[in-house]
Amino acid sequence: ALVDELRGTFEWVAGWDKLAPLLTPEALGLPRTARVADVGCGNSTLPLHLGSLYESVLGLDREQHTAETMRTQHGAEHRRVAWATCDVCDADSLASACPQGLADLVVDKGMLDCAIVEHDAARLLCNVRSWLLSPRGVYVVVSFRKPELLVPVLSCPELGWEVRHTALRLPGVEQQASVCVMRRAEAAAGGPAPRGGVG
């Protein structure tokens, strides 16, 4: 089993012990063959743990040295996991790194928090929806933001997502974290998947 205390790694918001029950294929209604992208992965062990549940995991980070370090340190023993340099908030960077509709599951642990601070939240959300996520894909955001601030942003009509929020209690922290699971409204309702990709 993987241990979270790997040298040179850092876990933002919450560790795997808290997130694991929320990210299993059973919890999300996905097959083990689902393709996973961890956006803004940094040097977290999250992609490694996701690789124990899903057959294909891609960690995306805009810092080239971070992706290269994780690939060098862990790529050989974790064949299901790969890392790539990509700024998900930049449409050109995303398109050059990933084919459209790459991911059936996009996991965002702290990326949206950073994008909000950098005034890039709208670009991040639009790029995930219109390029990275497959038509029936699931987008999971793990955030320090309060639900009354986070859920209205994720529920805006232009995105067309159905949002399910779960409060995550963290040891030693008074404020709860938020876990939001999003699906396209038509997919959540069992409607037809959009044609011609994820746009």
Side-chain angles (χ1 to χ4, degrees), residues 85-117:
T85 305
C86 171
D87 182 355
V88 182
C89 295
D90 184 289
D92 292 335
S93 176
L94 181 59
S96 66
C98 304
Q100 190 174 25
L102 167 78
D104 304 305
L105 169 61
V106 174
V107 181
D108 173 337
K109 185 161 75 90
M111 175 75 180
L112 180 59
D113 287 345
C114 296
I116 289 173
V117 172

Side-chain angles (χ1 to χ4, degrees), residues 20-34 53-54 105 183:
L22 303 173
L23 296 178
T24 64
E26 295 77 17
L28 296 175
L30 293 170
R32 287 184 62 87
T33 54
L53 298 177
Y54 298 94
L105 169 61
R183 290 177 170 84

Side-chain angles (χ1 to χ4, degrees), residues 3-133:
V3 206
D4 279 326
E5 292 162 15
L6 294 172
R7 182 177 298 173
T9 62
F10 177 77
E11 301 305 325
W12 180 254
V13 186
W16 182 245
D17 58 329
K18 294 292 183 183
L19 296 176
L22 303 173
L23 296 178
T24 64
E26 295 77 17
L28 296 175
L30 293 170
R32 287 184 62 87
T33 54
R35 302 157 300 169
V36 182
D38 178 7
V39 295
C41 63
N43 56 358
S44 166
T45 60
L46 182 58
L48 308 181
H49 290 292
L50 289 169
S52 69
L53 298 177
Y54 298 94
E55 292 184 4
S56 173
V57 179
L58 179 62
L60 297 172
D61 197 88
R62 66 185 181 184
E63 300 295 338
Q64 184 175 354
H65 73 274
T66 300
E68 289 178 351
T69 298
M70 293 301 287
R71 187 186 305 116
T72 300
Q73 291 182 350
H74 308 292
E77 67 267 33
H78 297 281
R79 300 299 179 93
R80 294 179 175 180
V81 185
W83 287 265
T85 305
C86 171
D87 182 355
V88 182
C89 295
D90 184 289
D92 292 335
S93 176
L94 181 59
S96 66
C98 304
Q100 190 174 25
L102 167 78
D104 304 305
L105 169 61
V106 174
V107 181
D108 173 337
K109 185 161 75 90
M111 175 75 180
L112 180 59
D113 287 345
C114 296
I116 289 173
V117 172
E118 296 177 358
H119 307 289
D120 271 340
R123 287 194 291 179
L124 169 65
L125 296 175
C126 290
N127 288 347
V128 167
R129 187 194 188 282
S130 65
W131 187 268
L132 190 55
L133 202 61

